[in-house]
Amino acid sequence: MTINRKWYVVYTRPNAEKKFAEQVSNFTSGCDVYLPLITENRQWSDRVKSVSSPLFKSYVFVYLNEDEYHYIKRLSGFVDYIKFNGKPSVINSLEVEKIKTVVASGFPCEPTTRKFKLGQSVEIKSGSLRGYQGKLVDIKNEAVFAIEVQGIEQSLLMSVPASLLSFAEEI
């Protein structure tokens, strides 16, 4: 019997993402969990400290089958699944891999709910993200590369040096 798992996005209580992800990872059924974290330097009055915080506030990606889908609703911190038109949003595995690659690249990135419809299509021509395509937008005179993340109505914004970009065919 094959187990049919899909990537879903769970909306958690504020600041409960790490605890919820830990609970899912301790679940021994074989489901998977992904919480994209970014490291930020925070200034306190007496020191600067590196802090890991979720890339998408209150969002945790979970790879579940139907039984696990209903089970994790009971976990502490769970609010609901992200839904569109009343149905849980299913994320393509390739989109989750893109997020993992972007986070691992080390380029500064931040989420945005803005959809980019206008702008030049660009492709990263070198580095660990070589071959990735997206739309170029102008924010405060910086070249910003946006990668659409399908299924959660958000994009990732990455500041990429113009020297790494080239024009691409329309996406």
Side-chain angles (χ1 to χ4, degrees):
M1 179 173 114
T2 60
I3 297 175
N4 188 18
R5 287 195 167 94
K6 299 175 186 171
W7 282 102
Y8 297 96
V9 183
V10 170
Y11 186 77
T12 67
R13 286 192 337 256
N15 301 316
E17 305 94 342
K18 290 180 182 179
K19 289 180 183 177
F20 178 80
E22 184 179 334
Q23 291 177 73
V24 175
S25 66
N26 290 336
F27 187 47
T28 59
S29 72
C31 63
D32 197 7
V33 63
Y34 176 57
L35 176 60
L37 297 172
I38 54 173
T39 302
E40 304 170 315
N41 289 327
R42 299 264 173 96
Q43 176 73 47
W44 275 267
S45 60
D46 61 339
R47 67 189 184 285
V48 175
K49 187 175 180 182
S50 292
V51 178
S52 292
S53 59
L55 179 62
F56 301 106
K57 303 294 182 212
S58 295
Y59 281 20
V60 177
F61 297 84
V62 291
Y63 191 60
L64 309 169
N65 65 25
E66 191 172 328
D67 293 334
E68 296 158 345
Y69 176 89
H70 296 291
Y71 175 79
I72 69 166
K73 290 179 182 180
R74 297 182 239 154
L75 297 178
S76 175
F78 180 91
V79 173
D80 202 357
Y81 288 99
I82 300 298
K83 296 179 182 175
F84 295 102
N85 298 325
K87 296 182 180 180
S89 178
V90 176
I91 309 297
N92 186 317
S93 293
L94 295 174
E95 296 298 325
V96 175
E97 290 304 316
K98 281 183 184 179
I99 295 169
K100 289 179 180 181
T101 304
V102 168
V103 170
S105 74
F107 284 110
C109 62
E110 65 183 53
T112 180
T113 56
R114 292 179 12 198
K115 292 241 178 198
F116 302 106
K117 298 186 189 320
L118 300 175
Q120 182 65 47
S121 294
V122 295
E123 180 176 335
I124 298 178
K125 61 184 179 181
S126 65
S128 61
L129 298 177
R130 184 175 150 204
Y132 276 60
Q133 295 184 358
K135 297 286 183 183
L136 186 66
V137 296
D138 186 25
I139 296 179
K140 299 178 185 173
N141 297 323
E142 293 179 13
V144 177
F145 180 75
I147 298 174
E148 293 291 329
V149 179
Q150 300 297 319
I152 62 172
E153 296 293 315
Q154 294 198 27
S155 302
L156 287 177
L157 287 180
M158 296 178 19
S159 296
V160 177
S163 61
L164 295 181
L165 300 177
S166 65
F167 292 108
E169 296 176 14
E170 281 298 313
I171 298 174

